[in-house]
Amino acid sequence: MVPWRQLRDSLKELGDLFLIHTAPLRHRLALRKLKGKPVIKVAFFVINGAIWKLDDLFRKMAEDKRFDPLIVVCPYKAFGGRMMQEWMNEAFSLFTSKKYDVIRALDPETGKWLDVKKEIRPDIVFFTNPHHLTRDEYYIRNYLDCLTCYVPYAFMIPNTYYEQFDQFFHNAVWRSFYETPIHKKIAKEYARNRGRNVIVTGYPGCDPFVDKTYKPSDPWKIKDSKIKRIIWAPHHLMKEELRPSNFLGYHQIMLDLALRYRDKIQIAFKPHPILKPKLYRYPEWGEERTDRYFREWENLENAQVEEGDYIDLFLTSDALVHDCGSFITEYLFTGKPELYMISNDKVSEGWNEYGEKALNVLYQSRKEDDLYSFIDEVVIGGHDPMKEERKKFLDEVVMPPHNLTASENIFNHLLMEINR
């Protein structure tokens, strides 16, 4: 006799396969409904403003009379109560400061959740995260009859092929706009729909680095160009199986480094958005110790904390020290040297083909001495022997196709499909 739970799971899997198989039909019907429509409503679902990568695309739509774009700030259900509210408020403030049309999914006055399908009635929905991190009403299963799009929240390097390429989400979405031909190749191999909905456009998060007309502001505390500017960006995965983050082992070392080189460098502490809430929950850290540690960085004369947008920070820096997967590629566009801190050998073993190739053009550290050598020789000394290797990889693998930015590629594809 088949256990009920096993039967239920089997039926759900069959149901998902049916929805995946019939997705192109539903999308053709949704696309047909747009014919002759003067204005197309587009909803961008955002959980965290710090990983928002679609500025250029949103602006293009806002400036085009054929589109009516709106950002919907959705809740991160893993963090309830205060932290959820803080993230939603921070994201709402970010987009308000950019003068974007934005709305909270949760009405702060009435406490009611927004019914997007009924009150906004979007024709196209952009998701910025494939994982089921938010409420059901803001997830893919509620929009199977819409034209749904996905832009990865980061440059994907893990070989966790199901999580990043073959969830129900990846197979059910209308268009996935992927980073490189390597990522499309992975989708063809591992996704149940064989990547039929994947379009290679380049990565929108890197568009400001491609735009030669963009003029960054200077967010650094010390304006003297002789003081080298280093970003330290630790990841949040500190105790999980792969544990790429070096934070627990290096949190004091990095503070000591800032003090030791106070006359030669300044450091911007750029933690992953989830690092702080995770530290709040660790018994050996907690809110008091975590807040005190962040204040230490703020109070140093040659250091600062950066928790928001980082485009200008990257463009005005001299080097990056980190263990964040997406920053590997994003920082390549600056042409500046970066050090990837390898916490253990299993980290690189868990990367896909793209990640392996990208890691080979970076400086790497496995111990404290490697970090100091990078600071002394590469950053302060100016000896950067891997510069040409990074540039070659960027030009041959990473640059968006068609001599356009990723946002232009996405925008043009949407117009082509709508006008087909």
Side-chain angles (χ1 to χ4, degrees):
M1 186 174 182
V2 180
W4 164 245
R5 184 172 297 178
Q6 183 178 341
L7 178 61
R8 181 197 62 189
D9 292 344
S10 297
L11 290 173
K12 182 179 181 301
E13 184 176 346
L14 286 173
D16 284 354
L17 286 173
F18 174 78
L19 291 173
I20 291 169
H21 181 72
T22 56
L25 174 60
R26 290 192 301 277
H27 294 145
R28 284 196 295 271
L29 293 174
L31 195 57
R32 191 177 300 168
K33 292 178 182 178
L34 298 187
K35 300 303 178 184
K37 192 170 185 180
V39 179
I40 297 171
K41 292 185 178 181
V42 186
F44 291 80
F45 286 0
V46 181
I47 295 174
N48 182 275
I51 57 173
W52 166 256
K53 310 292 184 182
L54 300 174
D55 266 334
D56 287 355
L57 179 61
F58 187 89
R59 291 190 188 113
K60 281 184 176 299
M61 289 186 175
E63 293 168 359
D64 193 305
K65 61 182 180 181
R66 291 168 291 186
F67 293 96
D68 180 17
L70 171 73
I71 293 174
V72 181
V73 178
C74 304
Y76 186 20
K77 68 179 183 181
F79 299 142
R82 189 188 69 172
M83 187 58 65
M84 182 192 75
Q85 291 281 5
E86 284 184 8
W87 274 32
M88 293 184 71
N89 290 339
E90 288 171 4
F92 184 80
S93 297
L94 170 67
F95 297 123
T96 300
S97 69
K98 294 174 182 284
K99 295 180 170 53
Y100 293 170
D101 284 339
V102 58
I103 188 170
R104 293 183 182 92
L106 178 65
D107 189 314
E109 296 182 2
T110 65
K112 289 185 176 181
W113 293 100
L114 178 70
D115 187 338
V116 175
K117 294 195 76 173
K118 182 179 179 181
E119 300 178 48
I120 307 298
R121 300 172 63 86
D123 301 301
I124 300 175
V125 175
F126 268 83
F127 293 95
T128 53
N129 197 302
H131 311 305
H132 197 172
L133 302 176
T134 190
R135 291 169 61 93
D136 290 346
E137 52 262 56
Y138 312 119
Y139 188 58
I140 183 72
R141 290 184 185 275
N142 198 33
Y143 298 91
L144 297 178
D145 57 343
C146 296
L147 293 176
T148 49
C149 300
Y150 168 54
V151 176
Y153 59 90
F155 234 96
M156 290 304 160
I157 66 169
N159 63 8
T160 50
Y161 298 117
Y162 170 76
E163 287 82 357
Q164 303 299 350
F165 294 92
D166 191 36
Q167 293 187 56
F168 174 79
F169 174 95
H170 300 96
N171 292 278
V173 74
W174 173 54
R175 289 290 182 266
S176 289
F177 298 109
Y178 278 3
E179 308 96 301
T180 71
I182 295 177
H183 292 89
K184 182 177 178 66
K185 173 186 169 186
I186 294 172
K188 284 184 174 181
E189 184 175 356
Y190 290 97
R192 279 165 284 177
N193 69 356
R194 297 293 176 251
R196 68 188 174 201
N197 56 351
V198 172
I199 306 296
V200 177
T201 57
Y203 187 54
C206 297
D207 284 352
F209 303 122
V210 179
D211 184 1
K212 302 301 182 183
T213 66
Y214 182 75
K215 302 297 181 184
S217 60
D218 186 351
W220 292 84
K221 185 180 288 187
I222 300 174
K223 306 302 181 184
D224 186 351
S225 60
K226 294 179 181 178
I227 305 299
K228 297 296 182 180
R229 301 170 167 190
I230 301 173
I231 303 165
W232 177 41
H235 202 268
H236 70 90
L237 294 175
M238 297 171 283
K239 296 185 177 182
E240 289 76 2
E241 183 178 357
L242 291 179
R243 303 188 310 280
S245 178
N246 291 265
F247 178 82
L248 294 178
Y250 276 81
H251 67 275
Q252 188 58 47
I253 291 173
M254 295 303 297
L255 279 172
D256 294 341
L257 188 146
L259 290 169
R260 175 175 171 177
Y261 290 90
R262 64 169 63 88
D263 297 327
K264 296 180 179 180
I265 68 170
Q266 56 180 318
I267 299 179
F269 174 42
K270 178 73 180 73
H272 190 285
I274 301 179
L275 179 63
K276 181 187 281 187
K278 273 197 172 181
L279 290 173
Y280 278 176
R281 294 185 173 190
Y282 286 175
E284 65 270 32
W285 276 80
E287 292 191 25
E288 184 178 345
R289 182 185 176 187
T290 301
D291 290 342
R292 184 170 66 249
Y293 180 79
F294 275 61
R295 285 196 300 271
E296 285 189 75
W297 280 103
E298 285 284 15
N299 293 334
L300 285 177
E301 292 182 2
N302 65 325
Q304 61 201 72
V305 177
E306 297 290 337
E307 297 185 79
D309 190 23
Y310 52 84
I311 298 299
D312 291 352
L313 187 74
F314 274 22
L315 289 171
T316 55
S317 66
D318 294 301
L320 172 67
V321 175
H322 72 111
D323 44 38
C324 291
S326 186
F327 282 1
I328 287 176
T329 305
E330 293 180 59
Y331 201 75
L332 281 176
F333 282 85
T334 70
K336 312 290 180 59
E338 57 179 298
L339 176 74
Y340 189 86
M341 306 174 76
I342 298 178
S343 61
N344 62 84
D345 289 334
K346 287 185 177 181
V347 172
S348 55
E349 291 174 4
W351 288 5
N352 61 32
E353 179 184 344
Y354 174 84
E356 291 173 355
K357 291 183 177 181
L359 183 63
N360 288 334
V361 302
L362 306 184
Y363 297 100
Q364 302 170 28
S365 71
R366 286 176 169 79
K367 56 185 185 298
E368 189 177 341
D369 288 347
D370 296 335
L371 170 63
Y372 279 100
S373 295
F374 177 74
I375 300 297
D376 288 325
E377 298 170 16
V378 182
V379 183
I380 297 175
H383 182 57
D384 185 5
M386 299 191 75
K387 185 172 184 177
E388 288 305 314
E389 290 182 60
R390 295 196 306 272
K391 185 178 186 305
K392 182 180 179 182
F393 179 74
L394 182 70
D395 292 340
E396 294 181 357
V397 180
V398 183
M399 290 296 289
H402 314 306
N403 290 317
L404 299 173
T405 66
S407 295
E408 288 171 335
N409 284 325
I410 294 172
F411 187 77
N412 290 345
H413 180 81
L414 292 177
L415 288 179
M416 179 189 71
E417 289 288 350
I418 292 168
N419 296 325
R420 188 189 294 275

